[in-house]
Amino acid sequence: MNKPKILILGAGYGGIMTAIKLQKKLSRNDAHITLVNKHDYHYETTWLHENAAGTLHHDRTRIPIKDVVDTNKIEFIQDTVVELKPDDKKVILKNGELDYDYLVVGLGFEAATFGIPGLIENAFTINSINSARLIKQHIEYNFAMYNNEKEKRPERLNIVIGGGGFTGIEFAGELANRVPELCKEYDIDPKDVRMIVVEGAPTILPGFDPQLIEYAMNSLEARGVEFKTGALLKECRADGITFEKDEKQEELPTLTTVWAAGVRANSLVETSGLEHNRGKVQVQPDMRAPSHPDVFVVGDCALIMNEETGRPYPPTAQIAMQEAETIAHNLVALVHGKDELESFEFLNRGTVASLGDSDAIGVIFGDKKIFGWTASFMKKMIDNRALFKIGGVGLVLKKGKFNIF
């Protein structure tokens, strides 16, 4: 009897956790498991804003796949997925093709640009190790150039962050900590630097408690961050942006626009033939695609509704890792010929947003609000817990965050 082929696409939180769970529950004789990823490493997506600001070296964020995946049990292929063919049970890669009996789609996210002119061409995004490194280097280059031109260009030191959601605010917090160091290094008056968050909603961090939002804004404003809320970005150019606020359009000169105002599932999902809802697969309770019962979807590519709010759960690392556990459990059941599959239930352990190395806000244990050092401590513990689930104590000791005092 041929062993079933399990193919996992993507080594983000959902994909890597599915692989790790399967290698513990299945032997080589049970199934042939293949993991495909563009890079030979997994990266902590929730740390990319620190890499982009230059407050954390990118090597800390990168985890070699061979360090956490047992390649005696799981075949790893470093390649880029270019097409999904679920009707044919095939996946086309840049350098070949693979077939499968069961597929796990964990291809991550892309920036959602909402059709804003010039955004794709001129804005930076925080969506990978390389994109984060590019932002860091670009900011440092502009600081270095500021005092090396005959006429100073203020737009070099104007840093615009498009979006006041989780990623934008966490990046602003890290940037607020990094800018004083850059000013000292490049002999620049901190008053010459502007950090501006442009958010279309009436407030930053939609969904957070107003008290915590106020704390976050006060903390960031005290470190030089400006907020333009209720402001819609209309155009992004290489030398500035146009935004609309109170029915008036304003120009803001800048050489650095970092777009952090929304993500969408990998576009391959939308073109795959899988039944989708605005690019995401609204999975069944067992995490399978409604149109293809041999396809599981995890992380940013999966849509799961919160019955209490009537809105989709946000695609966080926490939910992706929990989804992966359900998927792994169900794959093991299918491999062993069992028909009853487990339904996914999200256990919300809380949400914490960093405002820099020693400051944060959050909600834990249902409705307990935390902020300041307490929230920052909790954020680091959450990060360490994720590392532990991926690679155990060894990975925590190697990559973990312990600067809590």
Side-chain angles (χ1 to χ4, degrees):
M1 181 178 177
N2 292 331
K3 295 184 291 186
K5 296 178 181 179
I6 300 174
L7 178 57
I8 305 169
L9 304 180
Y13 289 106
I16 199 76
M17 183 56 61
T18 301
I20 289 166
K21 289 294 180 180
L22 287 178
Q23 73 186 11
K24 294 177 180 178
K25 297 181 177 183
L26 294 176
S27 71
R28 292 178 61 184
N29 295 326
D30 291 325
H32 184 275
I33 308 170
T34 304
L35 172 65
V36 177
N37 195 57
K38 185 177 182 179
H39 305 289
D40 63 355
Y41 56 83
H42 158 83
Y43 56 83
E44 294 290 284
T45 309
T46 57
W47 295 4
L48 289 178
H49 62 282
E50 299 176 62
N51 305 144
T55 54
L56 181 73
H57 195 277
H58 59 269
D59 281 343
R60 283 279 300 281
T61 303
R62 197 159 40 186
I63 300 170
I65 288 174
K66 63 180 177 60
D67 288 357
V68 294
V69 169
D70 184 352
T71 52
N72 291 316
K73 289 186 174 182
I74 296 180
E75 180 185 6
F76 172 63
I77 298 176
Q78 184 178 347
D79 207 339
T80 301
V81 179
V82 296
E83 186 180 359
L84 307 181
K85 291 187 170 182
D87 291 340
D88 301 326
K89 290 195 171 188
K90 290 185 182 297
V91 171
I92 310 303
L93 308 178
K94 187 176 181 181
N95 299 299
E97 70 174 47
L98 296 169
D99 58 4
Y100 62 84
D101 294 299
Y102 301 108
L103 178 66
V104 180
V105 180
L107 290 171
F109 67 88
E110 300 172 358
T113 60
F114 306 110
I116 298 172
L119 201 63
I120 294 175
E121 298 83 359
N122 300 309
F124 296 89
T125 56
I126 307 176
N127 58 10
S128 68
I129 291 280
N130 290 332
S131 68
R133 292 177 69 181
L134 186 61
I135 293 169
K136 171 183 177 291
Q137 292 163 1
H138 176 81
I139 291 172
E140 290 180 353
Y141 171 79
N142 279 298
F143 272 73
M145 285 295 294
Y146 186 66
N147 285 326
N148 282 290
E149 294 175 306
K150 289 182 179 180
E151 292 186 13
K152 292 182 179 179
R153 300 176 63 191
E155 61 267 32
R156 286 201 182 277
L157 303 184
N158 291 347
I159 303 171
V160 171
I161 302 170
F166 226 85
T167 301
I169 293 305
E170 290 200 317
F171 176 60
E174 295 298 323
L175 196 61
N177 285 0
R178 177 68 172 142
V179 161
E181 298 174 1
L182 290 172
C183 288
K184 186 175 181 181
E185 183 176 352
Y186 293 106
D187 193 26
I188 291 172
D189 187 341
K191 294 179 182 178
D192 292 341
V193 182
R194 294 183 67 190
M195 298 169 281
I196 309 108
V197 175
V198 179
E199 167 58 47
T203 180
I204 65 168
L205 295 171
F208 263 88
D209 181 271
Q211 183 183 8
L212 294 177
I213 293 172
E214 183 180 5
Y215 176 91
M217 292 185 71
N218 289 340
S219 171
L220 294 172
E221 285 174 339
R223 287 177 279 152
V225 177
E226 304 173 36
F227 293 97
K228 295 188 181 296
T229 55
L232 298 173
L233 190 61
K234 290 296 184 180
E235 184 184 7
C236 180
R237 301 177 300 280
D239 61 354
I241 64 165
T242 301
F243 65 92
E244 184 179 287
K245 182 176 172 63
D246 298 329
E247 299 184 353
K248 295 180 181 178
Q249 291 203 349
E250 299 182 37
E251 306 286 331
L252 182 56
T254 178
L255 301 186
T256 308
T257 301
V258 178
W259 180 245
V263 297
R264 50 161 290 161
N266 191 300
S267 55
L268 290 177
V269 173
E270 195 168 351
T271 59
S272 66
L274 291 170
E275 183 181 316
H276 66 88
N277 183 341
R278 296 183 180 179
K280 290 190 174 191
V281 177
Q282 190 164 344
V283 293
Q284 298 184 94
D286 58 16
M287 298 301 301
R288 290 192 288 184
S291 57
H292 293 77
D294 52 359
V295 177
F296 291 84
V297 187
V298 67
D300 297 288
C301 297
L303 177 67
I304 299 178
M305 298 300 292
N306 182 340
E307 293 182 2
E308 292 183 5
T309 64
R311 296 175 58 83
Y313 284 111
T316 63
Q318 178 185 186
I319 195 170
M321 295 175 81
Q322 290 185 32
E323 290 168 354
E325 294 186 16
T326 298
I327 290 173
H329 177 278
N330 289 340
L331 282 168
V332 171
L334 289 169
V335 167
H336 290 319
K338 299 177 182 178
D339 294 328
E340 291 189 14
L341 302 188
E342 183 177 271
S343 293
F344 173 73
E345 291 186 18
F346 178 47
L347 176 59
N348 190 349
R349 295 188 171 92
T351 305
V352 182
S354 171
L355 302 175
D357 184 56
S358 58
D359 202 2
I361 59 170
V363 178
I364 58 173
F365 307 133
D367 58 359
K368 181 176 174 56
K369 292 179 282 190
I370 55 174
F371 52 88
W373 179 88
T374 303
S376 181
F377 172 84
M378 185 60 68
K379 176 70 171 176
K380 292 179 174 66
M381 291 305 97
I382 291 170
D383 289 344
N384 289 344
R385 184 177 184 276
L387 292 176
F388 177 78
K389 290 180 74 67
I390 292 170
V393 174
L395 187 60
V396 176
L397 293 175
K398 186 176 181 180
K399 301 280 189 178
K401 296 184 176 181
F402 302 105
N403 55 329
I404 56 180
F405 297 106

